[in-house]
Amino acid sequence: MRYFQSQLEEIKNSRALQVYGALLALTHLLSAYFWMDRSLDLVTKASPISASLCWPFFPACDAIRFSSTGQASMFLEVYAVASIVVAGLFLFRRLQSAYFGLIGLLILKIFFTSLSYGLMGNYHYMTFFTHLAFLFLPTKIITIPFFIGVFYWGAGILKFDPEWLSGTALITPSFLPSAVEHISLIYAVILECIFVFGLFSKKRWLRGLVLLQFVAFHAFSWHIVGYFYPMTMFLLLGIFALVPLYKERWQAVIDSRLWQKKSTLLPVMLLILLQIVPSLLAGDPAASGAPRILSLNMLDAKMECETLLIRHASLSEETYDPFVKAPSTRTQCDPLVFLSQIQLVCKDRSEKMDFWLSSRRTTADVFKTRLFLPDVCSKSQAEILWAEIL
């Protein structure tokens, strides 16, 4: 309990953190509305094969899915009401109840997200790590801004490719003229990779100027990516406005003293490392699935793919494609989408079948083999789902 008391004490000493706790609670309300609108079929036992995707670390997710969309909807309604209650507790300084209430909301969100790999998204990834910093890490007022800075930097690194810079990766085109759109896409990379460091300046006017650019960036992206991503980021960015609003000292500064703050530096460095891992484990991170599980997983390139199962018989060989692509643009060629379907296709572990996956970026000329798994039906579900790494 002493550990939790120290976390609570830090929140009690900062009105900015208290209000930020309310904003984090509202991210759960936003998630509930978003999932209610479009994700109920992903978390029910009767969901179609393209939605029956399990995370590699939880391959038996179908066993605990809801029996109907009505049951899932009721869960989300309770979840939404609880998020409003917790937000109110933070605002009215009922901090112990608010703190443990936010832990409860986080557990509910982890549970719901674990029901389908189709619920994967940067917006959830960033809120999970921000909750981790707020609830369980010391020096929250410093660590949270740096976490958000790493999110932007990681996203900027992913955008540093021809698909983003040319606009090919956009889900829907913007209303800007082609030349202006091209310049704005380049500027977005510069903003996230370079100007983001302005958020950690000692100069208040510079932090404010960079913050306004990120707010404008998300406001503009609304008509391209929809409401959920911008709204989530507005709530997470609140820390940069709340600290000066309540006239508290801004401590998230890049200077020589930062290297002495190990309680902040170590988690931030770990988060940076997680963004680098996909490039180390996968030849093309945009074509991978499992290597990006613990990193930002954004639509940095549109992919095209081909899959085959090769059935070996005593005197013949049959090639066919029984796989269904996921509806999401980002995950439709994700290897995990197909790997999660293999055991549904294999009726008997003694069947001799090989799995083959090839893909390419839409700007590339040729397909590349991403995975070839011989005798795939004999493998365990864990071996199949982690095949990109094992």
Side-chain angles (χ1 to χ4, degrees):
M1 286 301 293
R2 183 177 299 177
Y3 167 79
F4 290 111
Q5 286 300 326
S6 66
Q7 305 302 316
L8 268 170
E9 194 63 31
E10 189 173 347
I11 297 171
K12 288 178 181 178
N13 292 333
S14 170
R15 183 56 179 165
L17 283 177
Q18 295 166 21
V19 178
Y20 193 68
L23 297 185
L24 290 181
L26 292 179
T27 65
H28 295 278
L29 177 63
L30 188 62
S31 294
Y33 180 81
F34 179 69
W35 285 331
M36 188 84 72
D37 181 44
R38 62 181 66 193
S39 301
L40 294 180
D41 62 324
L42 296 176
V43 296
T44 58
K45 294 181 183 294
S47 59
I49 189 170
S50 61
S52 300
L53 309 173
C54 289
W55 294 80
F57 54 76
F58 187 30
C61 68
D62 191 59
I64 63 168
R65 283 182 174 150
F66 299 103
S67 59
S68 66
T69 55
Q71 193 179 68
S73 179
M74 185 178 300
F75 173 90
L76 290 177
E77 288 171 0
V78 173
Y79 175 55
V81 171
S83 68
I84 296 172
V85 171
V86 173
L89 290 172
F90 272 112
L91 293 176
F92 290 100
R93 293 184 169 89
R94 302 291 190 268
L95 298 181
Q96 183 166 321
S97 298
Y99 176 82
F100 287 105
L102 190 60
I103 292 177
L105 290 174
L106 180 60
I107 292 172
L108 292 178
K109 181 162 187 172
I110 292 173
F111 165 75
F112 195 89
T113 307
S114 71
L115 297 180
S116 174
Y117 182 66
L119 298 178
M120 175 270 295
N122 279 347
Y123 23 68
H124 304 310
Y125 177 91
M126 291 185 285
T127 54
F128 282 141
F129 272 92
T130 306
H131 276 72
L132 172 67
F134 182 86
L135 291 169
F136 305 115
L137 297 182
T139 59
K140 310 175 192 304
I141 209 78
I142 308 174
T143 305
I144 292 171
F146 275 113
F147 269 25
I148 295 172
V150 172
F151 297 151
Y152 282 119
W153 176 82
I157 294 298
L158 290 175
K159 292 184 177 81
F160 197 70
D161 64 28
E163 281 77 9
W164 172 268
L165 297 175
S166 66
T168 306
L170 295 180
I171 299 173
T172 56
S174 73
F175 57 75
L176 295 176
S178 178
V180 178
E181 179 183 276
H182 182 61
I183 293 172
S184 66
L185 292 172
I186 295 174
Y187 185 75
V189 176
I190 296 172
L191 176 64
E192 292 184 321
C193 290
I194 300 175
F195 292 166
V196 66
F197 291 97
L199 291 174
F200 309 102
S201 170
K202 295 179 180 179
K203 299 177 181 178
R204 181 173 176 175
W205 68 267
L206 181 57
R207 297 198 306 270
L209 179 62
V210 175
L211 178 61
L212 284 175
Q213 291 183 73
F214 278 115
V215 170
F217 168 71
H218 291 299
F220 174 79
S221 72
W222 196 300
H223 75 286
I224 299 174
V225 301
Y227 70 89
F228 187 64
Y229 210 147
M231 288 293 293
T232 299
M233 294 312 301
F234 291 153
L235 292 171
L236 296 184
L237 284 169
I239 191 70
F240 291 95
L242 291 171
V243 172
L245 177 66
Y246 288 102
K247 297 181 171 54
E248 297 178 14
R249 185 169 66 90
W250 184 258
Q251 303 177 54
V253 175
I254 297 177
D255 58 14
S256 58
R257 289 175 294 180
L258 176 62
W259 304 105
Q260 302 170 9
K261 299 172 182 175
K262 293 183 179 179
S263 60
T264 294
L265 196 60
L266 291 178
V268 170
M269 295 302 292
L270 177 59
L271 187 59
I272 291 173
L273 178 62
L274 291 178
Q275 311 316 309
I276 300 172
V277 164
S279 297
L280 301 177
L281 296 180
D284 183 356
S288 67
R292 298 180 76 169
I293 285 290
L294 294 178
S295 70
L296 289 167
N297 194 331
M298 63 175 291
L299 184 62
D300 44 334
K302 288 184 179 178
M303 305 295 296
E304 295 176 346
C305 53
E306 295 178 353
T307 52
L308 287 176
L309 269 183
I310 305 168
R311 186 194 301 272
H312 300 281
S314 56
L315 298 174
S316 63
E317 189 173 272
E318 178 187 3
T319 301
Y320 66 113
D321 182 7
F323 298 102
V324 179
K325 292 182 179 179
S328 167
T329 304
R330 168 63 190 96
T331 57
Q332 64 178 355
C333 285
D334 188 322
L336 286 173
V337 171
F338 307 112
L339 293 173
S340 65
Q341 298 177 42
I342 286 177
Q343 288 203 329
L344 299 176
V345 177
C346 293
K347 305 301 181 184
D348 189 333
R349 294 195 67 175
S350 65
E351 286 188 283
K352 300 295 183 183
M353 290 200 287
D354 303 335
F355 169 74
W356 176 77
L357 166 66
S358 67
S359 64
R360 70 174 182 180
R361 294 176 179 237
T362 53
T363 55
D365 295 325
V366 297
F367 282 81
K368 294 182 179 180
T369 297
R370 307 295 180 181
L371 273 177
F372 179 74
L373 301 179
D375 198 13
V376 71
C377 290
S378 67
K379 301 182 185 299
S380 68
Q381 192 169 16
E383 286 179 303
I384 293 172
L385 291 176
W386 289 105
E388 294 175 88
I389 297 175
L390 296 177

